[in-house]
């Protein structure tokens, strides 16, 4: 049986999500598991898809980055799949389709996972370097805390006479954040 798994990180990626489902259906997936959660969150649908696998089944995903976030994570997922005597198919890995039920498929997948992790780590290094350089030049202010993004709302509610506690509850901010917002 072909078991499809589709994931996007956020619900805002609806168009991309629908394309993934169409690709999985076109490949012939008989059962579909789907979720819209971050890669670092608990992915209950991925766990359910892996649990559903039986001897000879294949878990099918559209892209590698929708499945694993690192070489170690991919290794864990592959161990779970192989323990069930099942395989993994990645529909789009460059211009090729990869099927881990073959030795060549396993080799290609392992090489690609390493490349993907390398790219992610290089991107993080460039980001850190950019932040360091911006700080040295006095251009880096850092991320605005979420509560501070609501300063205008806090001030508007105060202006119309809304109680502090009600403002905190309505906006989901702490007492300290409330007072910080008033200082901005």
């Amino acid at each position: 049986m072909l078991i499809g798994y589709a994931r996007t990180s956020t619900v805002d990626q609806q168009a991309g999500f629908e394309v993934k489902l169409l690709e999985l259906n076109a490949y012939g997936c008989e059962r579909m598991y789907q979720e819209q959660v971050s890669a670092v969150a608990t992915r209950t649908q991925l766990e359910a898809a892996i649990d559903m696998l039986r001897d000879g089944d294949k878990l099918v995903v559209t892209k590698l980055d929708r499945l694993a976030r690192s070489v170690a994570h991919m290794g864990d997922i592959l161990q779970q799949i192989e323990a069930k005597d099942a395989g993994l198919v990645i529909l789009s890995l460059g211009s090729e389709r990869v099927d881990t039920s073959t030795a060549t498929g396993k080799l290609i997948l392992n090489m690609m996972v390493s490349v993907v992790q390398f790219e992610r780590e290089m991107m993080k290094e460039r980001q850190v370097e950019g932040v360091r350089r911006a700080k040295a030049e006095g251009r880096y202010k850092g991320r605005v805390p979420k509560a501070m993004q609501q300063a205008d709302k806090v001030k508007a509610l105060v202006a119309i006479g809304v109680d502090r506690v009600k403002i905190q509850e309505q906006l989901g901010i702490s007492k300290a954040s409330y007072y910080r917002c008033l200082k901005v």
Side-chain angles (χ1 to χ4, degrees):
M1 178 186 311
L2 298 175
I3 298 173
Y5 173 70
R7 181 188 69 81
T8 58
S9 299
T10 67
V11 293
D12 296 337
Q13 299 170 319
Q14 193 60 39
F17 194 61
E18 290 168 4
V19 169
K20 287 171 183 43
L21 294 174
L22 288 172
E23 288 176 28
L24 293 169
N25 279 320
Y27 188 71
C29 292
E30 301 162 55
R31 210 167 254 187
M32 201 76 67
Y33 291 85
Q34 53 190 315
E35 55 194 343
Q36 293 179 294
V37 298
S38 165
V40 295
T42 301
R43 295 188 282 168
T44 56
Q45 291 298 297
L46 174 59
E47 292 169 8
I50 292 172
D51 285 343
M52 178 56 68
L53 292 171
R54 301 292 178 256
D55 188 4
D57 289 350
K58 292 183 181 177
L59 179 65
V60 183
V61 296
T62 56
K63 289 182 155 187
L64 177 61
D65 67 339
R66 301 293 84 201
L67 184 62
R69 40 182 198 275
S70 69
V71 173
H73 187 230
M74 186 70 231
D76 291 343
I77 291 171
L78 276 176
Q79 278 183 334
Q80 292 176 51
I81 292 170
E82 289 173 356
K84 295 182 168 273
D85 291 321
L88 171 67
V89 175
I90 302 169
L91 298 180
S92 178
L93 197 57
S95 61
E96 298 297 318
R97 182 172 291 147
V98 174
D99 185 340
T100 64
S101 62
T102 68
T104 304
K106 285 181 185 177
L107 173 66
I108 291 171
L109 178 64
N110 285 325
M111 291 182 347
M112 292 307 297
V113 169
S114 295
V115 169
V116 168
Q117 183 172 345
F118 172 74
E119 287 177 345
R120 181 175 290 131
E121 289 170 4
M122 292 301 294
M123 182 179 67
K124 286 180 182 177
E125 284 181 12
R126 287 190 300 269
Q127 180 184 12
V128 168
E129 175 61 24
V131 169
R132 187 190 61 72
R133 187 176 300 141
K135 282 181 178 178
E137 295 171 2
R139 294 183 294 119
Y140 183 76
K141 304 283 188 246
R143 181 179 61 85
V144 176
K146 189 174 183 179
M148 295 304 290
Q149 295 171 0
Q150 299 183 6
D152 291 337
K153 291 178 188 175
V154 169
K155 290 177 183 178
L157 291 169
V158 167
I160 60 172
V162 179
D163 179 65
R164 175 187 56 84
V165 175
K166 289 192 193 290
I167 293 173
Q168 286 176 238
E169 289 172 358
Q170 183 178 343
L171 299 179
I173 61 174
S174 68
K175 183 177 179 181
S177 293
Y178 169 84
Y179 285 111
R180 269 189 243 113
C181 287
L182 293 178
K183 291 180 183 178
V184 176

